[in-house]
Amino acid sequence: MTVKSRLSLRGIVAAGAVVLGLGAASAEPIRIGIANFGEHPQLNTAIQGFKDALAAGGYEEGKDVVYSESHTNFDASLVPQMIAKLQAEGPALMYTVTTPVSQIAKKALAGSGIPIVFSAVTDPVAAKLVPSWEAGDEGMTGATDLQDVAAVMEFAKKLVPDAKRIGQPYNPGEANDVALLEKVQEAAPTAGFEVVPVGVDNVNDIQQRIASLAGKADVIYTPASNLLQPAIAAVSAAARQAGIPIINSDDGAVSDGVVPASFAVNYQQVGLNAGKIALQILDGTDPKSIPPVNPAYEDHAPRISKKAMTAFGLDIPEEFADCDCIVD
């Protein structure tokens, strides 16, 4: 049965309940499977934003929709098992969070009739989730967390005016990381930066790889990486030892005083964007006709930690004095 048929059936049953005088009787709520890679503030916020969008669209949790949530604690080898478990529950739609989970779900659910909405994916075209930025794919589309990279570079230059080389750690095995590195390499020259990439494919190598940037980079940009973000405290500790300030893609670590600054996408908005797409699909729109949605410029915001800036031996430039983005 298609999603549209299920919704039509719900409407018929609900109408029948009224005609037959069944009062409070209602149709069964639809089920949505949520496949997450692991517990992380950004990803959890994207899930909440998705639910908020569904609620705003008339899907009250527990009454109109129930969610089955699962994650693999960032273990990619367990993702197929997670997807199979969620699929067995017969969801009307699957919400997949991060690129690795979305890639595996696309293969696992091909031909199943279960539409997929992804989020927290930086480049769905490079990840082969959709054929282009102008269209979704068969049974799949979603919302990206693609940052305005040019704006990140501009912020980095304002925060560390004398910086000329920007280091970027990335996981060579993750499509998100590789795609973002390419975008940084395109945008950096305009801001006056030379990019110094360093591959990190294992958390145990963080200390050594970040230390290798000493004397080679003046500032480090850490992307929304599924390997680097859960270990951002280790990245920051290594960067501090190397004497290189960090600009992060997640503002949570700034609020905690772990890294000096961030220019971050609002993951609540990423989830909201994905939820709005899900509402269209549940209403019968073909995912192929829905192009992936990117965060707008206004969905980004700077944040600076006074504590972490001091720890890294940096002063906050005067132009940020009234930015309402500084935390203690």
Side-chain angles (χ1 to χ4, degrees), residues 93-226:
L93 181 142
M94 190 87 75
Y95 178 45
T96 59
V97 186
T98 74
T99 297
V101 172
S102 301
Q103 289 174 316
I104 293 171
K106 181 175 183 178
K107 293 180 180 178
L109 298 179
S112 69
I114 300 173
I116 303 169
V117 175
F118 59 74
S119 81
V121 169
T122 299
D123 191 332
V125 179
K128 300 186 182 340
L129 298 178
V130 295
S132 74
W133 288 101
E134 286 72 45
D137 204 353
E138 188 70 42
M140 185 177 222
T141 189
T144 83
D145 60 1
L146 183 63
Q147 290 189 301
D148 187 321
V149 177
V152 174
M153 296 297 102
E154 183 181 342
F155 173 71
K157 181 59 77 172
K158 290 179 179 178
L159 188 71
V160 191
D162 295 331
K164 292 180 174 58
R165 300 164 298 175
I166 187 161
Q168 185 169 342
Y170 73 105
N171 179 1
E174 186 170 335
N176 261 10
D177 288 28
V178 174
L180 191 58
L181 172 60
E182 292 173 352
K183 294 182 185 303
V184 169
Q185 289 172 324
E186 291 174 4
T190 302
F193 283 119
E194 172 193 344
V195 181
V196 184
V198 58
V200 184
D201 52 15
N202 189 301
V203 291
N204 296 324
D205 294 335
I206 286 175
Q207 171 66 40
Q208 177 185 355
R209 301 293 172 81
I210 299 300
S212 73
L213 290 172
K216 299 177 183 177
D218 306 308
V219 63
I220 291 172
Y221 171 57
T222 44
S225 166
N226 292 311

Side-chain angles (χ1 to χ4, degrees), residues 12-70:
I12 292 170
V13 173
V18 174
V19 171
L20 295 174
L22 296 180
S26 62
E28 285 291 315
I30 64 166
R31 180 176 297 276
I32 291 179
I34 298 179
N36 190 12
F37 203 14
E39 291 285 342
H40 185 272
Q42 286 178 321
L43 307 185
N44 294 343
T45 299
I47 290 173
Q48 187 57 55
F50 178 84
K51 291 181 177 180
D52 290 346
L54 267 290
Y59 285 83
E60 181 180 340
E61 186 171 357
K63 178 183 177 184
D64 304 298
V65 60
V66 291
Y67 298 103
S68 293
E69 297 186 51
S70 187

Side-chain angles (χ1 to χ4, degrees), residues 243-276:
I244 311 171
I246 286 180
I247 294 174
N248 198 33
S249 57
D250 173 23
D251 60 8
V254 182
S255 298
D256 295 337
V258 174
V259 299
S262 66
F263 192 82
V265 168
N266 181 342
Y267 275 77
Q268 170 76 8
Q269 188 62 50
V270 172
L272 283 168
N273 289 343
K276 290 174 183 177

